[in-house]
């Protein structure tokens, strides 16, 4: 087997926002949307090697359908250095309404994949009366709920995945949860647990608006914002 030559990467680490109708597309469609915009912008993105080359991009944490974001992160490797301001303006000019890059920085080729370093996430959840009951879940030693895994409904204890609940007002909270490849708590699973644990209204849970506001990595035992 022939070893493939390593391609030197000049990475743009970009923070983007997704809202409105674009929040209802799947992760693969989101990737294709970015790929198409970068190609149309004629930027020197690196492609994977092999029989079916694809533009190389790494998203920090796939977004669920229906979840907005104010600060998600994607690494876009380039074959040559690119000025961050040029990257932002050219890509934004090709992206659809409701999907925009907010900022970007040039970073050295990372030793670890962006996806592999994610440890936690913040979600702002807006729903009728959620601020009056959500923090009660922190008093429980166990939070038992169900979720779908590999096509099956399983029962799980998610208490250790709930890191914090901060009340903004009666109808909104910021939820901090474990997130990433090893441990990950989806907002919908938390909402299910809220209904079963503190009798939160199921209709209000279904009508909740969820926005991911921050992603964190673990740096020497402390959670630090990725971007």
């Amino acid at each position: 087997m022939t070893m493939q030559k390593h391609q030197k990467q000049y990475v743009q680490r970009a923070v983007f926002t997704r809202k409105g109708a674009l929040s209802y597309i799947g992760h693969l469609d989101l990737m294709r949307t970015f790929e198409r915009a970068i190609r149309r912008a004629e930027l020197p993105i690196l492609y994977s090697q092999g029989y079916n080359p694809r533009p190389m991009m790494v998203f920090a944490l796939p977004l669920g359908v229906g979840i907005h974001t104010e600060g998600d992160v994607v690494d876009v490797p380039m074959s040559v250095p690119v000025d961050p301001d040029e990257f932002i303006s050219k890509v934004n000019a090709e992206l659809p309404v409701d999907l925009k890059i907010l900022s970007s920085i040039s970073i050295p080729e990372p030793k670890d994949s962006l996806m592999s370093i994610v440890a936690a996430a913040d979600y702002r959840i807006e729903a009728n009366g959620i601020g009056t009951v959500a923090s009660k879940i922190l008093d429980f030693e166990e939070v038992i709920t169900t979720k779908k895994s590999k096509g099956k409904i399983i029962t799980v204890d998610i208490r250790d995945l709930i890191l914090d609940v901060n009340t903004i007002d009666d109808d909104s909270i910021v939820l901090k949860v474990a997130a990433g490849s090893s441990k990950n708590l989806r907002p919908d699973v938390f909402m299910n647990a809220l209904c079963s644990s503190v009798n939160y209204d199921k209709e209000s849970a279904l009508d909740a608006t969820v926005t991911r506001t921050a992603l964190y990595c673990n740096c020497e035992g402390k959670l630090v914002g990725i971007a």
Side-chain angles (χ1 to χ4, degrees), residues 160-207:
D160 67 331
L161 304 180
I162 303 170
L163 305 182
D164 202 4
V165 178
N166 285 310
T167 301
I168 301 173
D169 53 41
D170 286 353
D171 299 322
S172 56
I173 63 169
V174 173
L175 170 69
K176 187 183 297 293
V177 297
S181 55
S182 59
K183 293 182 178 181
N184 188 68
L185 178 59
R186 301 195 316 266
D188 63 308
V189 176
F190 171 81
M191 295 300 286
N192 287 340
L194 203 61
C195 294
S196 59
S197 298
V198 298
N199 297 318
Y200 182 65
D201 180 63
K202 292 182 179 180
E203 291 298 322
S204 296
L206 290 173
D207 290 338

Coordinates of all heavy atoms in Angstrom, one line a residue, residues 160-207:
D160 N -24.6 13.1 35.7 CA -23.2 13.6 35.6 C -22.9 14.3 34.3 O -21.8 14.9 34.2 CB -22.3 12.4 35.7 CG -22.3 11.4 34.6 OD1 -23.4 11.3 34.0 OD2 -21.3 10.7 34.3
L161 N -23.9 14.3 33.4 CA -23.7 15.1 32.1 C -24.2 16.5 32.2 O -23.9 17.3 31.3 CB -24.4 14.3 30.9 CG -24.0 12.9 30.7 CD1 -24.7 12.3 29.5 CD2 -22.4 12.8 30.5
I162 N -25.0 16.8 33.2 CA -25.5 18.1 33.5 C -24.6 18.9 34.3 O -24.4 18.6 35.5 CB -26.9 18.1 34.1 CG1 -27.9 17.2 33.3 CG2 -27.5 19.5 34.3 CD1 -29.2 16.9 34.0
L163 N -23.8 19.8 33.8 CA -22.8 20.5 34.5 C -23.3 21.7 35.3 O -22.8 22.0 36.4 CB -21.7 20.9 33.5 CG -21.1 19.8 32.7 CD1 -19.9 20.3 31.8 CD2 -20.6 18.6 33.6
D164 N -24.3 22.4 34.7 CA -24.8 23.6 35.4 C -26.1 24.0 34.7 O -26.3 23.7 33.5 CB -23.8 24.7 35.4 CG -24.1 25.8 36.5 OD1 -25.0 25.5 37.3 OD2 -23.4 26.8 36.5
V165 N -26.9 24.7 35.5 CA -28.2 25.3 34.9 C -28.2 26.7 35.5 O -28.3 26.9 36.7 CB -29.4 24.5 35.3 CG1 -30.7 25.2 34.7 CG2 -29.4 23.1 34.8
N166 N -28.2 27.7 34.7 CA -28.3 29.1 35.1 C -29.6 29.7 34.6 O -29.9 29.7 33.4 CB -27.1 29.9 34.6 CG -25.8 29.6 35.4 OD1 -25.8 29.7 36.6 ND2 -24.7 29.3 34.7
T167 N -30.4 30.3 35.5 CA -31.6 30.9 35.1 C -31.4 32.3 34.6 O -30.8 33.1 35.3 CB -32.6 30.9 36.3 OG1 -32.8 29.6 36.8 CG2 -33.9 31.5 35.9
I168 N -31.9 32.6 33.4 CA -31.9 34.0 32.9 C -33.1 34.8 33.4 O -33.0 35.9 33.9 CB -31.8 34.0 31.4 CG1 -30.5 33.2 30.9 CG2 -31.8 35.4 30.8 CD1 -30.5 33.0 29.4
D169 N -34.3 34.2 33.1 CA -35.5 34.7 33.6 C -36.5 33.6 33.7 O -36.1 32.4 33.5 CB -36.0 35.9 32.7 CG -36.1 35.5 31.2 OD1 -36.6 34.4 30.9 OD2 -35.8 36.3 30.4
D170 N -37.8 33.9 33.9 CA -38.8 32.8 34.0 C -38.9 31.9 32.8 O -39.3 30.7 33.0 CB -40.2 33.4 34.3 CG -40.3 34.0 35.7 OD1 -39.4 33.8 36.5 OD2 -41.3 34.7 36.0
D171 N -38.6 32.4 31.7 CA -38.8 31.6 30.4 C -37.5 31.3 29.7 O -37.5 30.9 28.5 CB -39.7 32.4 29.5 CG -41.1 32.7 30.1 OD1 -41.6 31.8 30.8 OD2 -41.6 33.8 29.9
S172 N -36.3 31.4 30.3 CA -35.1 31.1 29.7 C -34.0 30.7 30.6 O -33.9 31.2 31.7 CB -34.6 32.2 28.7 OG -34.5 33.4 29.5
I173 N -33.2 29.7 30.2 CA -32.0 29.3 31.0 C -30.8 29.1 30.1 O -30.9 29.1 28.9 CB -32.3 27.9 31.7 CG1 -32.5 26.8 30.6 CG2 -33.5 28.0 32.6 CD1 -32.6 25.4 31.1
V174 N -29.6 29.0 30.7 CA -28.4 28.5 30.0 C -28.0 27.2 30.6 O -27.8 27.1 31.8 CB -27.3 29.6 30.1 CG1 -26.0 29.0 29.5 CG2 -27.7 30.8 29.3
L175 N -28.0 26.2 29.8 CA -27.7 24.8 30.3 C -26.3 24.5 29.8 O -25.9 24.6 28.6 CB -28.7 23.8 29.6 CG -28.4 22.4 29.8 CD1 -28.5 21.9 31.2 CD2 -29.3 21.5 28.8
K176 N -25.4 24.1 30.8 CA -24.1 23.6 30.4 C -24.0 22.1 30.6 O -24.4 21.6 31.7 CB -23.0 24.3 31.3 CG -21.6 24.0 30.9 CD -20.6 24.6 31.9 CE -20.6 26.1 31.9 NZ -20.2 26.7 30.7
V177 N -23.6 21.4 29.5 CA -23.6 20.0 29.5 C -22.3 19.4 29.0 O -21.5 20.1 28.3 CB -24.7 19.4 28.7 CG1 -26.1 19.8 29.2 CG2 -24.6 19.9 27.2
A178 N -22.0 18.2 29.4 CA -20.9 17.5 28.8 C -21.2 17.3 27.3 O -22.3 17.0 26.9 CB -20.7 16.1 29.5
A179 N -20.2 17.5 26.5 CA -20.4 17.3 25.0 C -19.1 16.8 24.4 O -18.0 17.1 24.9 CB -20.8 18.7 24.4
G180 N -19.3 16.1 23.3 CA -18.1 15.6 22.6 C -18.3 14.2 22.2 O -19.3 13.6 22.3
S181 N -17.1 13.6 21.8 CA -17.2 12.2 21.3 C -17.3 11.2 22.4 O -17.9 10.1 22.2 CB -15.9 12.0 20.5 OG -14.7 12.2 21.3
S182 N -16.8 11.5 23.6 CA -16.9 10.5 24.7 C -18.2 10.6 25.5 O -18.8 9.6 25.9 CB -15.7 10.5 25.6 OG -15.6 11.8 26.1
K183 N -18.5 11.8 25.9 CA -19.8 12.1 26.7 C -20.5 13.2 26.0 O -19.9 14.3 25.7 CB -19.4 12.4 28.1 CG -18.8 11.3 28.9 CD -18.6 11.8 30.3 CE -18.0 10.6 31.2 NZ -17.8 11.1 32.6
N184 N -21.8 13.0 25.8 CA -22.6 14.1 25.1 C -24.0 14.0 25.6 O -24.6 13.0 25.5 CB -22.5 13.9 23.6 CG -23.1 15.1 22.9 OD1 -22.5 16.2 22.9 ND2 -24.2 14.9 22.2
L185 N -24.6 15.2 26.0 CA -26.0 15.2 26.3 C -26.7 16.2 25.4 O -26.4 17.4 25.3 CB -26.1 15.7 27.8 CG -27.6 15.9 28.3 CD1 -28.4 14.6 28.2 CD2 -27.6 16.5 29.7
R186 N -27.7 15.7 24.6 CA -28.4 16.5 23.7 C -29.5 17.3 24.5 O -30.1 16.8 25.5 CB -29.1 15.6 22.7 CG -28.2 14.8 21.8 CD -28.9 14.3 20.6 NE -30.2 13.8 20.9 CZ -30.5 12.5 21.1 NH1 -29.5 11.6 21.1 NH2 -31.8 12.1 21.4
P187 N -29.8 18.5 24.0 CA -30.8 19.3 24.7 C -32.2 18.6 24.8 O -32.9 18.7 25.8 CB -30.9 20.6 23.9 CG -29.6 20.6 23.2 CD -29.2 19.2 23.0
D188 N -32.6 17.8 23.8 CA -33.9 17.2 23.8 C -34.0 16.1 24.9 O -35.0 15.9 25.5 CB -34.2 16.6 22.4 CG -33.3 15.5 22.0 OD1 -32.0 15.8 22.0 OD2 -33.7 14.4 21.6
V189 N -32.8 15.4 25.1 CA -32.8 14.4 26.2 C -32.9 15.1 27.5 O -33.6 14.6 28.5 CB -31.5 13.6 26.1 CG1 -31.4 12.6 27.3 CG2 -31.5 12.8 24.8
F190 N -32.3 16.3 27.7 CA -32.4 17.0 28.9 C -33.9 17.5 29.1 O -34.4 17.4 30.3 CB -31.5 18.3 28.9 CG -31.8 19.2 30.0 CD1 -31.2 19.0 31.3 CD2 -32.6 20.4 29.8 CE1 -31.5 19.9 32.3 CE2 -32.8 21.2 30.9 CZ -32.3 21.0 32.1
M191 N -34.5 17.9 28.1 CA -35.9 18.4 28.2 C -36.8 17.2 28.6 O -37.8 17.4 29.4 CB -36.4 19.0 26.9 CG -35.6 20.3 26.5 SD -35.8 21.6 27.8 CE -37.5 22.1 27.5
N192 N -36.6 16.0 28.0 CA -37.4 14.9 28.4 C -37.2 14.6 29.9 O -38.2 14.2 30.6 CB -36.9 13.6 27.6 CG -37.4 13.7 26.2 OD1 -38.3 14.4 25.8 ND2 -36.7 12.9 25.3
A193 N -35.9 14.7 30.4 CA -35.7 14.4 31.8 C -36.3 15.5 32.7 O -36.8 15.2 33.8 CB -34.1 14.4 32.0
L194 N -36.4 16.7 32.2 CA -37.0 17.8 33.0 C -38.5 17.5 33.1 O -39.1 17.7 34.2 CB -36.8 19.1 32.2 CG -36.9 20.4 33.0 CD1 -35.8 20.4 34.1 CD2 -36.8 21.6 32.1
C195 N -39.1 17.0 32.1 CA -40.5 16.6 32.2 C -40.8 15.5 33.2 O -41.7 15.5 34.0 CB -41.1 16.2 30.8 SG -41.1 17.6 29.6
S196 N -39.9 14.5 33.2 CA -40.2 13.3 34.1 C -39.7 13.6 35.5 O -40.2 13.0 36.4 CB -39.4 12.1 33.5 OG -38.0 12.3 33.3
S197 N -38.6 14.4 35.6 CA -38.1 14.6 37.0 C -38.8 15.7 37.8 O -38.9 15.5 39.0 CB -36.6 15.0 36.8 OG -35.8 14.0 36.2
V198 N -39.1 16.8 37.2 CA -39.7 17.9 37.9 C -41.1 18.3 37.4 O -41.6 19.4 37.6 CB -38.8 19.2 38.0 CG1 -37.5 18.8 38.6 CG2 -38.5 19.7 36.6
N199 N -41.7 17.4 36.6 CA -43.0 17.6 36.0 C -43.2 18.8 35.2 O -44.2 19.5 35.2 CB -44.1 17.6 37.1 CG -44.1 16.3 37.9 OD1 -44.1 15.2 37.3 ND2 -44.2 16.3 39.2
Y200 N -42.1 19.1 34.4 CA -42.2 20.3 33.5 C -43.2 19.9 32.4 O -43.3 18.8 31.9 CB -40.8 20.6 32.9 CG -40.9 21.8 32.0 CD1 -41.2 23.1 32.5 CD2 -40.6 21.7 30.6 CE1 -41.2 24.2 31.6 CE2 -40.6 22.8 29.8 CZ -40.9 24.0 30.3 OH -41.0 25.1 29.5
D201 N -43.9 20.9 31.9 CA -45.0 20.7 30.9 C -44.4 20.2 29.6 O -43.5 20.8 29.0 CB -45.7 22.0 30.7 CG -46.8 21.9 29.7 OD1 -47.8 21.1 29.9 OD2 -46.7 22.5 28.6
K202 N -44.9 19.1 29.1 CA -44.4 18.4 27.9 C -44.7 19.3 26.6 O -43.8 19.3 25.7 CB -45.0 17.1 27.7 CG -44.6 16.0 28.7 CD -45.2 14.7 28.4 CE -44.7 13.7 29.5 NZ -45.2 12.3 29.3
E203 N -45.8 20.0 26.5 CA -46.1 20.8 25.4 C -45.1 22.0 25.3 O -44.6 22.4 24.3 CB -47.5 21.3 25.4 CG -48.6 20.3 25.2 CD -48.5 19.6 23.8 OE1 -48.2 20.4 22.9 OE2 -48.7 18.4 23.7
S204 N -44.8 22.6 26.5 CA -43.8 23.7 26.5 C -42.4 23.2 26.1 O -41.7 23.9 25.5 CB -43.8 24.3 27.9 OG -45.0 24.8 28.3
A205 N -42.1 21.9 26.5 CA -40.8 21.4 26.2 C -40.7 21.2 24.7 O -39.6 21.5 24.1 CB -40.6 20.0 26.9
L206 N -41.8 20.8 24.0 CA -41.8 20.6 22.6 C -41.7 21.9 21.8 O -41.1 21.9 20.7 CB -43.0 19.8 22.2 CG -43.1 18.3 22.6 CD1 -44.5 17.8 22.2 CD2 -42.0 17.5 21.8
D207 N -42.1 23.0 22.4 CA -42.1 24.3 21.8 C -40.8 25.1 22.1 O -40.7 26.2 21.7 CB -43.3 25.1 22.2 CG -44.6 24.6 21.7 OD1 -44.6 23.9 20.6 OD2 -45.7 24.8 22.2

